Amino acid sequence: MIPFNRPPVIEKSFEYMRQAAQEQGKICGDGIFTQKCSAWMEERFQAQKVLLTTSCTHALELAALLCGIQPGDEVIMPSYTFVSTANAFALRGAKIVFADIRPDTMNLDETLVEAAITPKTKAIVPVHYAGVGCEMDAILDIARRYNLLVVEDAAQGVMSTYHGKPLGTIGDLGCYSFHETKNYSMGEGGALVINRPELIERAEILREKGTNRSRFLRGQIDKYTWVDVGSSYLPSELNAAYLYAQLEAADAINEDRLRSWSAYWDALAPLQGEGLLELPYVPEGCRHNAHMFYIKVKDLEQRTKLIQFLKEQEIGTAFHYVPLHSSPAGAGQGRFCGSDRYTSQESERLLRLPMFYGIPKDTFSAVRKLLEDFFD
Ligand SMILES: *Cc1c(COP(=O)(O)O)cnc(C)c1O
């Protein structure tokens, strides 16, 4: 049996969790392991500021608050994404304007963004699908010309780069996920990357229940108080301790995943050559993190049969994202701009194969064999 996903387990995590509880005597938020995780990311990704959060969903909510989204504002994003990308902005009363994706990367089609802009547009939210960067140069150029904010949904993009820059550090704000299914995991968790210094102080306040507790802890003020709206977006130290051991091992985890990705590619390239399926595409200038390995088959019907076939052979697979504009809530929260040339069609053909840190190396040839049987 090969599961679709297994969360990363690094032995050191348990020692760090023990240290947090027994030695530090601190398991609530913002202790030393939270600081270590933030500092690690700030240094590694050359980010101005990284705040650990309870999820990427919450990082996106913080981003929407920091963008000052007001009811009636419009936010442009792909329809092919997780609900949280849209929900975070819909919660602030924004209208979501969905634009079509590029069929090659499944990312927001940067050539369609400009046409989606209206006088009400406030932000663009590119989603780096599969940890492969969106065309950020083009997106930033549009954002500058129209004075819009860019929030990167880099939930899947930790350790990926676009023209050498880490995903999440390119726009005004970036959001990472450390959910169980992501490359680095603390169970539930995420981070907000703040690339504009003037947003840092308010971000700390929003994350700390609307108080200036962060300044208090740094000794900058002598009591802390309620200064703004906010909520509790601090993860527990236990989660941060669990994550920190993985960040220390980030290169080894990344390399293991990339080797597995390449092995899938080599195993399945002949099937692509025969026109039986399509493999993922990584544009020049993008270094990805092997977040997922997906294939595309002919259509929804073939995919449904293939999922069943692989399930019988004990291979776990996954697909995702009913395009948001066609979901019950999505239709009410926004509109699709232009025509849905690729979003629905491509999402129905895509199937994710098992991919996780330490995936057994005989998986790739086994999957190839099964796919050959299936297509026969
Ligand atoms: C996983 C994911 C999220 C949500 O992450 P959580 O940490 O589970 O809140 C948001 N956007 C995308 C694109 C994701 O893949």
Side-chain angles (χ1 to χ4, degrees), residues 10-323:
I10 301 286
E11 272 316 306
K12 201 91 182 270
S13 287
F14 305 107
E15 168 57 19
Y16 288 161
M17 291 168 81
R18 193 195 63 73
Q19 277 179 25
Q22 287 186 323
E23 288 171 30
Q24 307 294 326
K26 183 169 172 74
I27 55 173
C28 69
D30 277 344
I32 61 161
F33 286 103
T34 301
Q35 285 161 23
K36 279 177 189 283
C37 288
S38 304
W40 189 93
M41 287 186 269
E42 282 164 11
E43 192 186 313
R44 176 66 186 240
F45 304 143
Q46 291 295 295
Q48 302 259 355
K49 184 80 185 172
V50 176
L51 295 176
L52 217 56
T53 59
T54 28
S55 62
C56 181
T57 301
H58 281 163
L60 287 160
E61 287 182 19
L62 280 168
L65 283 161
L66 288 166
C67 288
I69 299 295
Q70 300 295 320
D73 288 348
E74 292 183 356
V75 177
I76 299 167
M77 66 180 64
S79 171
Y80 186 65
T81 184
F82 190 58
V83 288
S84 297
T85 321
N87 249 333
F89 293 89
L91 270 171
R92 306 262 69 81
K95 275 280 160 222
I96 311 300
V97 178
F98 298 112
D100 208 5
I101 53 168
R102 300 163 41 136
D104 57 355
T105 56
M106 305 298 282
N107 279 337
L108 180 64
D109 185 339
E110 68 281 358
T111 66
L112 302 177
V113 172
E114 196 159 356
I117 295 173
T118 75
K120 292 180 175 167
T121 309
K122 273 284 160 58
I124 307 170
V125 189
V127 178
H128 303 298
Y129 185 71
V132 175
C134 296
E135 274 309 322
M136 293 305 289
D137 285 343
I139 291 168
L140 288 182
D141 174 62
I142 296 166
R144 283 202 198 96
R145 282 191 281 117
Y146 289 87
N147 199 20
L148 306 175
L149 290 157
V150 175
V151 176
E152 297 176 70
D153 182 336
Q156 305 176 7
V158 180
M159 291 285 280
S160 296
T161 61
Y162 170 81
H163 293 294
K165 276 210 95 187
L167 300 187
T169 68
I170 305 165
D172 298 289
L173 295 158
C175 302
Y176 291 153
S177 175
F178 300 118
H179 181 261
E180 176 180 288
T181 52
K182 302 304 199 289
N183 292 24
Y184 307 92
S185 178
M186 53 202 271
E188 301 278 354
L192 178 68
V193 185
I194 306 159
N195 306 317
R196 289 187 38 177
E198 69 274 21
L199 296 178
I200 294 173
E201 188 174 344
R202 179 146 197 257
E204 288 180 335
I205 291 168
L206 295 171
R207 175 174 169 274
E208 266 281 16
K209 301 109 181 158
T211 71
N212 51 7
R213 184 161 179 270
S214 298
R215 294 193 66 194
F216 171 74
L217 292 175
R218 285 194 293 263
Q220 292 167 329
I221 44 175
D222 55 19
K223 59 173 182 286
Y224 80 89
T225 182
W226 185 18
V227 293
D228 199 341
V229 294
S231 188
S232 183
Y233 296 121
L234 282 67
S236 143
E237 270 290 282
L238 293 173
N239 296 40
Y242 189 84
L243 177 68
Y244 186 59
Q246 288 166 51
L247 295 180
E248 285 185 316
D251 287 307
I253 293 174
N254 200 40
E255 282 154 23
D256 177 80
R257 295 187 75 112
L258 285 165
R259 274 194 299 275
S260 298
W261 197 96
S262 298
Y264 262 131
W265 179 280
D266 294 343
L268 303 184
L271 296 175
Q272 175 168 252
E274 289 173 52
L276 296 170
L277 50 72
E278 285 167 43
L279 299 180
Y281 167 74
V282 180
E284 218 175 297
C286 291
R287 286 187 70 171
H288 71 108
N289 58 359
H291 172 59
M292 68 172 85
F293 196 92
Y294 64 78
I295 58 173
K296 285 188 197 165
V297 295
K298 196 162 81 212
D299 53 22
L300 180 61
E301 193 191 333
Q302 192 177 53
R303 183 180 72 176
T304 308
K305 285 187 187 145
L306 179 56
I307 292 170
Q308 187 55 35
F309 176 80
L310 291 175
K311 193 173 160 202
E312 282 160 13
Q313 310 296 322
E314 307 209 294
I315 305 283
T317 60
F319 62 89
H320 50 185
Y321 309 154
V322 171

